[in-house]
Amino acid sequence: MSEEILPRIREEIAALPPYRQGKQAGADAFKLSSNENPFEPLPSVVAALTAGTPINRYPDATAGALRARLGERYGVAPDAVHVASGSVAILYQLVQAAATVGDEVVYAWRSFEAYPGLPLVAGATGVQVPLTADSRHDLDAMAAAITDRTRVVIVCTPNNPTGPIVTSAEFAAFVARVPRDVLIVLDEAYAEFVTAPDAVDGLAERIFETHPNVVVLRTFSKAYGLAGLRVGYAIGHPRVLDAARTTAIPLSVTAAAERAAIASLDAEDELRARVAVIVERRTELVAGLREAGWDVPDAQGNFVWLPTGEATADVAAAFEDAGLIVRAFPGDGIRISVGEAESLPRVLAVAAAQRP
């Protein structure tokens, strides 16, 4: 039998592992692997979803109603807002627009698992800058890693999966060192969970106005609980966002997602109350893990980080045996999402039994 002949694929793409989603959980387990919001959708959001969304018609390709609403919220023109199927989609669009063969994309590591694939898909080279000993971005080292080939720098705060934030002062000093023709993407997917008073807030500080090379990313997947609908947004200079819009897959934001996002903005007080509950659980979880002997970094998202190193696979298996599905990063650590209240005692019991 002759060998099957398949189309030729770029070598770097063939070698790139596909994005690995957090493992699903059975009916008797807690899924703490994907940083999802554990609360069910608000009734008003469900009502918006069921209010006659015309699924036989294409959605508004620009998500115009949502862009207008976000523009009003942040005091910018609708053209300074870009909406896509999750903030990670906007990351792909921006890197595709800014970088190509011979160019470089700088980001911290370990950080969001999708980052390594961004430059590779564009044909560019990723430059990974190690985190500090306390699991934070080393912005001095990232600035030093910028060369005349650098086109994009990604800063994730709070950092996924480790948890610490970048401070406002640190980010301001960093931006001052980055050439103005290099795109800086401030990925703030977990901003609503931040309680650190000195954390950078790209939207509240309107950094995109004083530095038009900065684009701020936010999402409705985490704090707003719309992970299954896939809707995120960016705020930045209209001409920069036009480049993202040019590389976007048309019609990727559904009408249902747009309606639900607008309804979520209408119900923001209720959603913020839910975020406060998650933050309380996060505080309890961090305190319990540290009491059990774990060196947990500052947690400012809706997750905590266990630096399990070479023991990662064994510790993750212990959690799974206890009906807790967590996210393991072999050789580095385990990320545990803050989930249902009932999951906390079980997480702490397993962690105490597996203490380093």
Side-chain angles (χ1 to χ4, degrees):
M1 185 175 178
S2 61
E3 184 178 353
E4 188 175 31
I5 298 176
L6 297 174
R8 285 175 288 184
I9 303 296
R10 286 166 48 196
E11 290 183 5
E12 62 272 27
I13 297 298
L16 178 69
Y19 176 77
R20 185 170 60 88
Q21 184 182 16
K23 186 176 179 180
Q24 301 297 313
D28 58 346
F30 292 103
K31 185 186 177 190
L32 309 176
S33 57
S34 296
N35 293 349
E36 295 156 328
N37 192 314
F39 292 102
E40 292 292 324
L42 289 171
S44 59
V45 176
V46 174
L49 281 170
T50 57
T53 300
I55 60 174
N56 63 314
R57 303 292 185 187
Y58 286 118
D60 174 2
T62 69
L66 178 55
R67 287 171 56 223
R69 180 64 181 275
L70 289 168
E72 292 174 5
R73 175 189 176 94
Y74 295 114
V76 299
D79 282 351
V81 183
H82 175 46
V83 174
S85 54
S87 56
V88 67
I90 303 175
L91 269 169
Y92 271 96
Q93 294 161 10
L94 289 169
V95 172
Q96 288 277 356
T100 187
V101 177
D103 298 332
E104 294 177 345
V105 176
V106 175
Y107 54 91
W109 195 252
R110 175 171 291 275
S111 194
F112 181 33
E113 194 175 4
Y115 289 166
L118 301 173
L120 279 175
V121 171
T125 300
V127 178
Q128 296 184 350
V129 178
L131 298 173
T132 64
D134 53 354
S135 301
R136 302 181 73 246
H137 275 54
D138 188 341
L139 291 181
D140 285 337
M142 290 179 69
I146 295 172
T147 70
D148 58 1
R149 297 173 58 191
T150 306
R151 297 293 177 268
V152 183
V153 182
I154 305 171
V155 176
C156 182
T157 178
N159 186 52
N160 173 22
T162 61
I165 52 95
V166 169
T167 71
S168 179
E170 288 169 340
F171 190 71
F174 175 72
V175 171
R177 293 181 61 182
V178 177
R180 296 183 70 85
D181 60 352
V182 172
L183 174 62
I184 303 172
V185 180
L186 185 59
D187 187 351
E188 296 186 323
Y190 300 92
E192 291 84 0
F193 299 101
V194 172
T195 56
D198 57 346
V200 66
D201 184 328
L203 298 183
E205 297 176 42
R206 307 188 72 81
I207 298 170
F208 50 87
E209 290 183 339
T210 54
H211 295 85
N213 60 323
V214 175
V215 171
V216 182
L217 299 187
R218 294 284 178 94
T219 183
F220 286 94
S221 294
K222 311 302 182 186
Y224 291 91
L226 301 184
L229 290 175
R230 307 303 303 131
V231 56
Y233 62 97
I235 304 245
H237 194 285
R239 288 209 300 269
V240 177
L241 296 185
D242 280 345
R245 289 186 266 265
T246 298
T247 59
I249 296 174
L251 305 164
S252 60
V253 178
T254 66
E258 184 178 17
R259 283 177 181 238
I262 292 172
S264 295
L265 292 172
D266 290 338
E268 181 137 23
D269 288 346
E270 294 175 88
L271 289 167
R272 290 284 182 176
R274 290 180 167 190
V275 166
V277 171
I278 293 171
V279 168
E280 289 177 3
R281 293 177 188 172
R282 180 188 73 195
T283 301
E284 179 183 345
L285 197 55
V286 169
L289 291 169
R290 288 176 175 166
E291 185 177 344
W294 287 98
D295 184 17
V296 179
D298 185 32
Q300 291 289 321
N302 64 336
F303 53 88
V304 297
W305 174 252
L306 294 186
T308 46
E310 296 304 318
T312 295
D314 292 338
V315 177
F319 277 112
E320 185 166 354
D321 289 344
L324 300 163
I325 307 304
V326 297
R327 187 65 174 270
F329 298 88
D332 285 340
I334 292 172
R335 188 191 68 198
I336 306 173
S337 304
V338 179
E340 294 81 357
E342 296 80 8
S343 70
L344 267 63
R346 198 184 301 185
V347 169
L348 292 174
V350 174
Q354 299 294 318
R355 64 169 55 90

